[in-house]
Amino acid sequence: GIQVEQSPPDLILQEGANSTLRCNFSDSVNNLQWFHQNPWGQLINLFYIPSGTKQNGRLSATTVATERYSLLYISSSQTTDSGVYFCAVEDTGTASKLTFGTGTRLQVTL
Amino acid sequence: DVKVTQSSRYLVKRTGEKVFLECVQDMDHENMFWYRQDPGLGLRLIYFSYDVKMKEKGDIPEGYSVSREKKERFSLILESASTNQTSMYLCASSRFYEQYFGPGTRLTVT
């Protein structure tokens, strides 16, 4: 099946700093989503982005499908950004089945 | 706003008990999913359903069954709970590609 790798596994930032999270995947994809899992375990949709670039406030994401990677940018980080960020992909042969990466754990400190 | 709800946030059951986890979505989505999340293993798909009374095995279906009698409701059943089924269980729904998750049920089997 498709492989999804995220880096870095852990990240500690001071409030106000910027960061880039990376997601590499091993095959063509129909669907790529970024999620934020908050400390209570809820997975919150950030972006649906199988290709191209999207922005939502301080967050933006870019997926280069031909090179099989996606980037999540967090600017001016806040303590509420802490949690685990997951990339999940659905490959072209498995309708609706998402494969998740192992996540990037982000801690934003004061 | 899409809303996916799960019947319990925390559940404690004994080994050998039959356990029902309920998931309800209010957006008329065709697709529903059950995942479990474990430290170091990430999110793994247990079962999914494309329509009422339809079900497909995911990556780790052993020890679980599911029921979808109504479009909005997808139940996960542990026929005889075991300690290795202690985990966080997450339900999701989608119409096309973008999946939306419920708050999760943290199940402990003692």
Side-chain angles (χ1 to χ4, degrees), chain B residues 28-57:
Chain B
D28 200 37
H29 284 174
E30 283 76 21
N31 308 316
M32 296 188 76
F33 308 83
W34 275 106
Y35 297 86
R36 64 177 281 177
Q37 184 177 20
D38 301 286
L41 296 175
L43 278 89
R44 295 177 291 167
L45 182 65
I46 304 171
Y47 267 97
F48 59 105
S49 169
Y50 290 130
D51 202 348
V52 176
K53 298 193 186 294
M54 303 288 288
K55 61 184 179 184
E56 296 275 347
K57 292 180 180 179

PDB file of all heavy atoms in Angstrom, chain B residues 28-57:
ATOM      1  N   ASP B  28     -25.838  13.737   5.892  1.00  0.00           N
ATOM      2  CA  ASP B  28     -26.299  12.881   4.802  1.00  0.00           C
ATOM      3  C   ASP B  28     -25.132  12.311   3.984  1.00  0.00           C
ATOM      4  O   ASP B  28     -25.232  12.121   2.767  1.00  0.00           O
ATOM      5  CB  ASP B  28     -27.267  13.652   3.876  1.00  0.00           C
ATOM      6  CG  ASP B  28     -28.148  12.738   3.047  1.00  0.00           C
ATOM      7  OD1 ASP B  28     -28.558  11.680   3.574  1.00  0.00           O
ATOM      8  OD2 ASP B  28     -28.414  13.067   1.878  1.00  0.00           O
ATOM      9  N   HIS B  29     -24.029  12.046   4.652  1.00  0.00           N
ATOM     10  CA  HIS B  29     -22.867  11.491   3.967  1.00  0.00           C
ATOM     11  C   HIS B  29     -23.062  10.013   3.677  1.00  0.00           C
ATOM     12  O   HIS B  29     -23.589   9.265   4.498  1.00  0.00           O
ATOM     13  CB  HIS B  29     -21.615  11.669   4.836  1.00  0.00           C
ATOM     14  CG  HIS B  29     -21.096  13.061   4.845  1.00  0.00           C
ATOM     15  ND1 HIS B  29     -20.053  13.457   5.664  1.00  0.00           N
ATOM     16  CD2 HIS B  29     -21.431  14.146   4.122  1.00  0.00           C
ATOM     17  CE1 HIS B  29     -19.792  14.731   5.447  1.00  0.00           C
ATOM     18  NE2 HIS B  29     -20.608  15.173   4.522  1.00  0.00           N
ATOM     19  N   GLU B  30     -22.589   9.605   2.478  1.00  0.00           N
ATOM     20  CA  GLU B  30     -22.702   8.194   2.107  1.00  0.00           C
ATOM     21  C   GLU B  30     -21.675   7.328   2.841  1.00  0.00           C
ATOM     22  O   GLU B  30     -21.949   6.199   3.209  1.00  0.00           O
ATOM     23  CB  GLU B  30     -22.485   8.021   0.600  1.00  0.00           C
ATOM     24  CG  GLU B  30     -23.655   8.419  -0.274  1.00  0.00           C
ATOM     25  CD  GLU B  30     -23.804   9.912  -0.418  1.00  0.00           C
ATOM     26  OE1 GLU B  30     -22.823  10.646  -0.186  1.00  0.00           O
ATOM     27  OE2 GLU B  30     -24.918  10.364  -0.775  1.00  0.00           O
ATOM     28  N   ASN B  31     -20.469   7.867   3.006  1.00  0.00           N
ATOM     29  CA  ASN B  31     -19.354   7.064   3.506  1.00  0.00           C
ATOM     30  C   ASN B  31     -19.127   7.281   4.996  1.00  0.00           C
ATOM     31  O   ASN B  31     -19.132   8.423   5.472  1.00  0.00           O
ATOM     32  CB  ASN B  31     -18.062   7.446   2.770  1.00  0.00           C
ATOM     33  CG  ASN B  31     -18.225   7.402   1.267  1.00  0.00           C
ATOM     34  OD1 ASN B  31     -18.815   6.475   0.731  1.00  0.00           O
ATOM     35  ND2 ASN B  31     -17.710   8.408   0.590  1.00  0.00           N
ATOM     36  N   MET B  32     -18.910   6.194   5.712  1.00  0.00           N
ATOM     37  CA  MET B  32     -18.565   6.286   7.132  1.00  0.00           C
ATOM     38  C   MET B  32     -17.449   5.304   7.446  1.00  0.00           C
ATOM     39  O   MET B  32     -17.325   4.260   6.784  1.00  0.00           O
ATOM     40  CB  MET B  32     -19.797   6.042   8.010  1.00  0.00           C
ATOM     41  CG  MET B  32     -20.869   7.102   7.833  1.00  0.00           C
ATOM     42  SD  MET B  32     -22.234   6.991   9.008  1.00  0.00           S
ATOM     43  CE  MET B  32     -21.470   7.661  10.500  1.00  0.00           C
ATOM     44  N   PHE B  33     -16.653   5.657   8.456  1.00  0.00           N
ATOM     45  CA  PHE B  33     -15.409   4.939   8.735  1.00  0.00           C
ATOM     46  C   PHE B  33     -15.218   4.776  10.240  1.00  0.00           C
ATOM     47  O   PHE B  33     -15.599   5.658  11.015  1.00  0.00           O
ATOM     48  CB  PHE B  33     -14.200   5.738   8.206  1.00  0.00           C
ATOM     49  CG  PHE B  33     -14.318   6.157   6.776  1.00  0.00           C
ATOM     50  CD1 PHE B  33     -15.018   7.297   6.422  1.00  0.00           C
ATOM     51  CD2 PHE B  33     -13.725   5.411   5.777  1.00  0.00           C
ATOM     52  CE1 PHE B  33     -15.132   7.698   5.095  1.00  0.00           C
ATOM     53  CE2 PHE B  33     -13.830   5.793   4.453  1.00  0.00           C
ATOM     54  CZ  PHE B  33     -14.531   6.929   4.113  1.00  0.00           C
ATOM     55  N   TRP B  34     -14.554   3.669  10.615  1.00  0.00           N
ATOM     56  CA  TRP B  34     -14.079   3.504  11.979  1.00  0.00           C
ATOM     57  C   TRP B  34     -12.563   3.274  11.951  1.00  0.00           C
ATOM     58  O   TRP B  34     -12.078   2.407  11.206  1.00  0.00           O
ATOM     59  CB  TRP B  34     -14.734   2.314  12.670  1.00  0.00           C
ATOM     60  CG  TRP B  34     -16.047   2.633  13.295  1.00  0.00           C
ATOM     61  CD1 TRP B  34     -17.285   2.283  12.856  1.00  0.00           C
ATOM     62  CD2 TRP B  34     -16.258   3.372  14.508  1.00  0.00           C
ATOM     63  NE1 TRP B  34     -18.256   2.764  13.698  1.00  0.00           N
ATOM     64  CE2 TRP B  34     -17.646   3.435  14.726  1.00  0.00           C
ATOM     65  CE3 TRP B  34     -15.397   3.988  15.432  1.00  0.00           C
ATOM     66  CZ2 TRP B  34     -18.205   4.087  15.828  1.00  0.00           C
ATOM     67  CZ3 TRP B  34     -15.952   4.637  16.511  1.00  0.00           C
ATOM     68  CH2 TRP B  34     -17.347   4.675  16.708  1.00  0.00           C
ATOM     69  N   TYR B  35     -11.837   4.062  12.769  1.00  0.00           N
ATOM     70  CA  TYR B  35     -10.404   3.943  12.936  1.00  0.00           C
ATOM     71  C   TYR B  35     -10.097   3.687  14.415  1.00  0.00           C
ATOM     72  O   TYR B  35     -10.867   4.062  15.291  1.00  0.00           O
ATOM     73  CB  TYR B  35      -9.683   5.253  12.567  1.00  0.00           C
ATOM     74  CG  TYR B  35      -9.813   5.701  11.138  1.00  0.00           C
ATOM     75  CD1 TYR B  35     -10.907   6.460  10.713  1.00  0.00           C
ATOM     76  CD2 TYR B  35      -8.813   5.418  10.213  1.00  0.00           C
ATOM     77  CE1 TYR B  35     -11.006   6.903   9.398  1.00  0.00           C
ATOM     78  CE2 TYR B  35      -8.904   5.866   8.906  1.00  0.00           C
ATOM     79  CZ  TYR B  35     -10.009   6.609   8.509  1.00  0.00           C
ATOM     80  OH  TYR B  35     -10.094   7.053   7.205  1.00  0.00           O
ATOM     81  N   ARG B  36      -8.927   3.098  14.663  1.00  0.00           N
ATOM     82  CA  ARG B  36      -8.392   3.124  16.006  1.00  0.00           C
ATOM     83  C   ARG B  36      -7.025   3.798  15.972  1.00  0.00           C
ATOM     84  O   ARG B  36      -6.319   3.729  14.951  1.00  0.00           O
ATOM     85  CB  ARG B  36      -8.327   1.742  16.655  1.00  0.00           C
ATOM     86  CG  ARG B  36      -7.422   0.752  16.037  1.00  0.00           C
ATOM     87  CD  ARG B  36      -7.391  -0.568  16.833  1.00  0.00           C
ATOM     88  NE  ARG B  36      -6.550  -0.494  18.016  1.00  0.00           N
ATOM     89  CZ  ARG B  36      -6.397  -1.488  18.898  1.00  0.00           C
ATOM     90  NH1 ARG B  36      -7.062  -2.626  18.727  1.00  0.00           N
ATOM     91  NH2 ARG B  36      -5.615  -1.353  19.936  1.00  0.00           N
ATOM     92  N   GLN B  37      -6.698   4.459  17.079  1.00  0.00           N
ATOM     93  CA  GLN B  37      -5.434   5.185  17.159  1.00  0.00           C
ATOM     94  C   GLN B  37      -4.665   4.709  18.373  1.00  0.00           C
ATOM     95  O   GLN B  37      -5.175   4.733  19.499  1.00  0.00           O
ATOM     96  CB  GLN B  37      -5.684   6.687  17.276  1.00  0.00           C
ATOM     97  CG  GLN B  37      -4.408   7.511  17.276  1.00  0.00           C
ATOM     98  CD  GLN B  37      -4.657   8.988  17.331  1.00  0.00           C
ATOM     99  OE1 GLN B  37      -5.727   9.439  17.736  1.00  0.00           O
ATOM    100  NE2 GLN B  37      -3.685   9.775  16.899  1.00  0.00           N
ATOM    101  N   ASP B  38      -3.434   4.282  18.142  1.00  0.00           N
ATOM    102  CA  ASP B  38      -2.571   3.787  19.200  1.00  0.00           C
ATOM    103  C   ASP B  38      -1.218   4.470  19.119  1.00  0.00           C
ATOM    104  O   ASP B  38      -0.719   4.725  18.013  1.00  0.00           O
ATOM    105  CB  ASP B  38      -2.387   2.265  19.059  1.00  0.00           C
ATOM    106  CG  ASP B  38      -3.712   1.525  19.124  1.00  0.00           C
ATOM    107  OD1 ASP B  38      -4.249   1.439  20.231  1.00  0.00           O
ATOM    108  OD2 ASP B  38      -4.184   1.061  18.069  1.00  0.00           O
ATOM    109  N   PRO B  39      -0.594   4.738  20.271  1.00  0.00           N
ATOM    110  CA  PRO B  39       0.725   5.388  20.270  1.00  0.00           C
ATOM    111  C   PRO B  39       1.723   4.593  19.445  1.00  0.00           C
ATOM    112  O   PRO B  39       1.839   3.365  19.582  1.00  0.00           O
ATOM    113  CB  PRO B  39       1.110   5.385  21.757  1.00  0.00           C
ATOM    114  CG  PRO B  39      -0.179   5.292  22.485  1.00  0.00           C
ATOM    115  CD  PRO B  39      -1.089   4.474  21.631  1.00  0.00           C
ATOM    116  N   GLY B  40       2.431   5.282  18.581  1.00  0.00           N
ATOM    117  CA  GLY B  40       3.448   4.635  17.762  1.00  0.00           C
ATOM    118  C   GLY B  40       2.912   3.938  16.524  1.00  0.00           C
ATOM    119  O   GLY B  40       3.685   3.580  15.631  1.00  0.00           O
ATOM    120  N   LEU B  41       1.608   3.724  16.466  1.00  0.00           N
ATOM    121  CA  LEU B  41       1.026   3.024  15.306  1.00  0.00           C
ATOM    122  C   LEU B  41       0.139   3.946  14.475  1.00  0.00           C
ATOM    123  O   LEU B  41      -0.291   3.573  13.379  1.00  0.00           O
ATOM    124  CB  LEU B  41       0.207   1.823  15.766  1.00  0.00           C
ATOM    125  CG  LEU B  41       0.995   0.719  16.469  1.00  0.00           C
ATOM    126  CD1 LEU B  41       0.055  -0.360  16.990  1.00  0.00           C
ATOM    127  CD2 LEU B  41       2.031   0.103  15.521  1.00  0.00           C
ATOM    128  N   GLY B  42      -0.179   5.119  14.988  1.00  0.00           N
ATOM    129  CA  GLY B  42      -0.991   6.056  14.228  1.00  0.00           C
ATOM    130  C   GLY B  42      -2.442   5.625  14.131  1.00  0.00           C
ATOM    131  O   GLY B  42      -2.938   4.838  14.940  1.00  0.00           O
ATOM    132  N   LEU B  43      -3.133   6.134  13.123  1.00  0.00           N
ATOM    133  CA  LEU B  43      -4.531   5.783  12.888  1.00  0.00           C
ATOM    134  C   LEU B  43      -4.607   4.646  11.885  1.00  0.00           C
ATOM    135  O   LEU B  43      -3.974   4.709  10.819  1.00  0.00           O
ATOM    136  CB  LEU B  43      -5.307   6.982  12.329  1.00  0.00           C
ATOM    137  CG  LEU B  43      -5.792   7.999  13.340  1.00  0.00           C
ATOM    138  CD1 LEU B  43      -4.749   9.068  13.564  1.00  0.00           C
ATOM    139  CD2 LEU B  43      -7.100   8.617  12.853  1.00  0.00           C
ATOM    140  N   ARG B  44      -5.401   3.647  12.208  1.00  0.00           N
ATOM    141  CA  ARG B  44      -5.562   2.503  11.326  1.00  0.00           C
ATOM    142  C   ARG B  44      -7.041   2.258  11.099  1.00  0.00           C
ATOM    143  O   ARG B  44      -7.840   2.316  12.034  1.00  0.00           O
ATOM    144  CB  ARG B  44      -4.892   1.264  11.924  1.00  0.00           C
ATOM    145  CG  ARG B  44      -3.375   1.382  12.043  1.00  0.00           C
ATOM    146  CD  ARG B  44      -2.779   0.167  12.715  1.00  0.00           C
ATOM    147  NE  ARG B  44      -3.145   0.105  14.123  1.00  0.00           N
ATOM    148  CZ  ARG B  44      -2.978  -0.961  14.890  1.00  0.00           C
ATOM    149  NH1 ARG B  44      -2.463  -2.068  14.376  1.00  0.00           N
ATOM    150  NH2 ARG B  44      -3.326  -0.938  16.159  1.00  0.00           N
ATOM    151  N   LEU B  45      -7.382   1.930   9.851  1.00  0.00           N
ATOM    152  CA  LEU B  45      -8.774   1.755   9.455  1.00  0.00           C
ATOM    153  C   LEU B  45      -9.261   0.368   9.836  1.00  0.00           C
ATOM    154  O   LEU B  45      -8.644  -0.639   9.466  1.00  0.00           O
ATOM    155  CB  LEU B  45      -8.908   1.978   7.947  1.00  0.00           C
ATOM    156  CG  LEU B  45     -10.301   1.876   7.361  1.00  0.00           C
ATOM    157  CD1 LEU B  45     -11.206   2.978   7.905  1.00  0.00           C
ATOM    158  CD2 LEU B  45     -10.230   1.953   5.843  1.00  0.00           C
ATOM    159  N   ILE B  46     -10.401   0.314  10.532  1.00  0.00           N
ATOM    160  CA  ILE B  46     -10.959  -0.973  10.956  1.00  0.00           C
ATOM    161  C   ILE B  46     -11.994  -1.453   9.939  1.00  0.00           C
ATOM    162  O   ILE B  46     -11.880  -2.552   9.395  1.00  0.00           O
ATOM    163  CB  ILE B  46     -11.625  -0.841  12.346  1.00  0.00           C
ATOM    164  CG1 ILE B  46     -10.631  -0.293  13.373  1.00  0.00           C
ATOM    165  CG2 ILE B  46     -12.156  -2.200  12.810  1.00  0.00           C
ATOM    166  CD1 ILE B  46     -11.270   0.068  14.705  1.00  0.00           C
ATOM    167  N   TYR B  47     -13.006  -0.650   9.707  1.00  0.00           N
ATOM    168  CA  TYR B  47     -14.079  -0.943   8.742  1.00  0.00           C
ATOM    169  C   TYR B  47     -14.559   0.368   8.142  1.00  0.00           C
ATOM    170  O   TYR B  47     -14.426   1.426   8.749  1.00  0.00           O
ATOM    171  CB  TYR B  47     -15.275  -1.609   9.434  1.00  0.00           C
ATOM    172  CG  TYR B  47     -15.293  -3.100   9.455  1.00  0.00           C
ATOM    173  CD1 TYR B  47     -14.842  -3.802  10.568  1.00  0.00           C
ATOM    174  CD2 TYR B  47     -15.775  -3.827   8.369  1.00  0.00           C
ATOM    175  CE1 TYR B  47     -14.869  -5.179  10.608  1.00  0.00           C
ATOM    176  CE2 TYR B  47     -15.810  -5.210   8.399  1.00  0.00           C
ATOM    177  CZ  TYR B  47     -15.358  -5.882   9.521  1.00  0.00           C
ATOM    178  OH  TYR B  47     -15.391  -7.254   9.550  1.00  0.00           O
ATOM    179  N   PHE B  48     -15.163   0.272   6.955  1.00  0.00           N
ATOM    180  CA  PHE B  48     -15.852   1.414   6.399  1.00  0.00           C
ATOM    181  C   PHE B  48     -17.095   0.960   5.653  1.00  0.00           C
ATOM    182  O   PHE B  48     -17.277  -0.244   5.405  1.00  0.00           O
ATOM    183  CB  PHE B  48     -14.930   2.260   5.519  1.00  0.00           C
ATOM    184  CG  PHE B  48     -14.325   1.536   4.342  1.00  0.00           C
ATOM    185  CD1 PHE B  48     -14.789   1.764   3.062  1.00  0.00           C
ATOM    186  CD2 PHE B  48     -13.250   0.674   4.512  1.00  0.00           C
ATOM    187  CE1 PHE B  48     -14.216   1.120   1.974  1.00  0.00           C
ATOM    188  CE2 PHE B  48     -12.681   0.021   3.428  1.00  0.00           C
ATOM    189  CZ  PHE B  48     -13.169   0.247   2.164  1.00  0.00           C
ATOM    190  N   SER B  49     -17.944   1.938   5.328  1.00  0.00           N
ATOM    191  CA  SER B  49     -19.232   1.633   4.704  1.00  0.00           C
ATOM    192  C   SER B  49     -19.547   2.694   3.664  1.00  0.00           C
ATOM    193  O   SER B  49     -19.440   3.889   3.929  1.00  0.00           O
ATOM    194  CB  SER B  49     -20.332   1.622   5.770  1.00  0.00           C
ATOM    195  OG  SER B  49     -21.614   1.590   5.182  1.00  0.00           O
ATOM    196  N   TYR B  50     -19.938   2.227   2.464  1.00  0.00           N
ATOM    197  CA  TYR B  50     -20.294   3.152   1.388  1.00  0.00           C
ATOM    198  C   TYR B  50     -21.783   3.485   1.359  1.00  0.00           C
ATOM    199  O   TYR B  50     -22.201   4.426   0.697  1.00  0.00           O
ATOM    200  CB  TYR B  50     -19.940   2.562   0.021  1.00  0.00           C
ATOM    201  CG  TYR B  50     -18.464   2.463  -0.249  1.00  0.00           C
ATOM    202  CD1 TYR B  50     -17.911   1.275  -0.701  1.00  0.00           C
ATOM    203  CD2 TYR B  50     -17.631   3.553  -0.053  1.00  0.00           C
ATOM    204  CE1 TYR B  50     -16.554   1.183  -0.961  1.00  0.00           C
ATOM    205  CE2 TYR B  50     -16.275   3.464  -0.311  1.00  0.00           C
ATOM    206  CZ  TYR B  50     -15.742   2.279  -0.764  1.00  0.00           C
ATOM    207  OH  TYR B  50     -14.399   2.184  -1.020  1.00  0.00           O
ATOM    208  N   ASP B  51     -22.566   2.668   2.036  1.00  0.00           N
ATOM    209  CA  ASP B  51     -24.008   2.879   1.949  1.00  0.00           C
ATOM    210  C   ASP B  51     -24.655   2.042   3.045  1.00  0.00           C
ATOM    211  O   ASP B  51     -24.012   1.183   3.653  1.00  0.00           O
ATOM    212  CB  ASP B  51     -24.522   2.469   0.569  1.00  0.00           C
ATOM    213  CG  ASP B  51     -25.844   3.126   0.198  1.00  0.00           C
ATOM    214  OD1 ASP B  51     -26.491   3.728   1.094  1.00  0.00           O
ATOM    215  OD2 ASP B  51     -26.238   3.043  -0.974  1.00  0.00           O
ATOM    216  N   VAL B  52     -25.943   2.256   3.237  1.00  0.00           N
ATOM    217  CA  VAL B  52     -26.684   1.476   4.215  1.00  0.00           C
ATOM    218  C   VAL B  52     -26.529  -0.012   3.910  1.00  0.00           C
ATOM    219  O   VAL B  52     -26.599  -0.428   2.744  1.00  0.00           O
ATOM    220  CB  VAL B  52     -28.168   1.876   4.194  1.00  0.00           C
ATOM    221  CG1 VAL B  52     -28.971   0.993   5.139  1.00  0.00           C
ATOM    222  CG2 VAL B  52     -28.335   3.329   4.569  1.00  0.00           C
ATOM    223  N   LYS B  53     -26.269  -0.772   4.940  1.00  0.00           N
ATOM    224  CA  LYS B  53     -26.104  -2.222   4.892  1.00  0.00           C
ATOM    225  C   LYS B  53     -24.865  -2.668   4.112  1.00  0.00           C
ATOM    226  O   LYS B  53     -24.654  -3.859   3.916  1.00  0.00           O
ATOM    227  CB  LYS B  53     -27.361  -2.911   4.325  1.00  0.00           C
ATOM    228  CG  LYS B  53     -28.597  -2.682   5.186  1.00  0.00           C
ATOM    229  CD  LYS B  53     -29.727  -3.613   4.809  1.00  0.00           C
ATOM    230  CE  LYS B  53     -30.997  -3.276   5.564  1.00  0.00           C
ATOM    231  NZ  LYS B  53     -30.870  -3.509   7.019  1.00  0.00           N
ATOM    232  N   MET B  54     -24.043  -1.733   3.659  1.00  0.00           N
ATOM    233  CA  MET B  54     -22.796  -2.083   2.981  1.00  0.00           C
ATOM    234  C   MET B  54     -21.655  -1.923   3.963  1.00  0.00           C
ATOM    235  O   MET B  54     -21.629  -0.970   4.744  1.00  0.00           O
ATOM    236  CB  MET B  54     -22.563  -1.168   1.773  1.00  0.00           C
ATOM    237  CG  MET B  54     -23.670  -1.181   0.769  1.00  0.00           C
ATOM    238  SD  MET B  54     -23.736  -2.709  -0.159  1.00  0.00           S
ATOM    239  CE  MET B  54     -22.301  -2.519  -1.197  1.00  0.00           C
ATOM    240  N   LYS B  55     -20.685  -2.824   3.902  1.00  0.00           N
ATOM    241  CA  LYS B  55     -19.497  -2.705   4.749  1.00  0.00           C
ATOM    242  C   LYS B  55     -18.309  -3.310   4.037  1.00  0.00           C
ATOM    243  O   LYS B  55     -18.454  -4.245   3.242  1.00  0.00           O
ATOM    244  CB  LYS B  55     -19.714  -3.389   6.097  1.00  0.00           C
ATOM    245  CG  LYS B  55     -20.000  -4.862   6.003  1.00  0.00           C
ATOM    246  CD  LYS B  55     -20.289  -5.440   7.372  1.00  0.00           C
ATOM    247  CE  LYS B  55     -20.610  -6.927   7.257  1.00  0.00           C
ATOM    248  NZ  LYS B  55     -21.002  -7.521   8.555  1.00  0.00           N
ATOM    249  N   GLU B  56     -17.159  -2.751   4.333  1.00  0.00           N
ATOM    250  CA  GLU B  56     -15.907  -3.250   3.760  1.00  0.00           C
ATOM    251  C   GLU B  56     -14.879  -3.333   4.875  1.00  0.00           C
ATOM    252  O   GLU B  56     -14.818  -2.439   5.727  1.00  0.00           O
ATOM    253  CB  GLU B  56     -15.382  -2.286   2.687  1.00  0.00           C
ATOM    254  CG  GLU B  56     -16.269  -2.133   1.484  1.00  0.00           C
ATOM    255  CD  GLU B  56     -16.029  -3.217   0.454  1.00  0.00           C
ATOM    256  OE1 GLU B  56     -15.021  -3.928   0.571  1.00  0.00           O
ATOM    257  OE2 GLU B  56     -16.860  -3.345  -0.470  1.00  0.00           O
ATOM    258  N   LYS B  57     -14.052  -4.362   4.853  1.00  0.00           N
ATOM    259  CA  LYS B  57     -12.980  -4.473   5.840  1.00  0.00           C
ATOM    260  C   LYS B  57     -11.892  -3.457   5.536  1.00  0.00           C
ATOM    261  O   LYS B  57     -11.547  -3.219   4.385  1.00  0.00           O
ATOM    262  CB  LYS B  57     -12.397  -5.881   5.828  1.00  0.00           C
ATOM    263  CG  LYS B  57     -13.355  -6.942   6.334  1.00  0.00           C
ATOM    264  CD  LYS B  57     -12.710  -8.312   6.305  1.00  0.00           C
ATOM    265  CE  LYS B  57     -13.689  -9.369   6.812  1.00  0.00           C
ATOM    266  NZ  LYS B  57     -13.091 -10.733   6.773  1.00  0.00           N
TER     267      LYS B  57
END
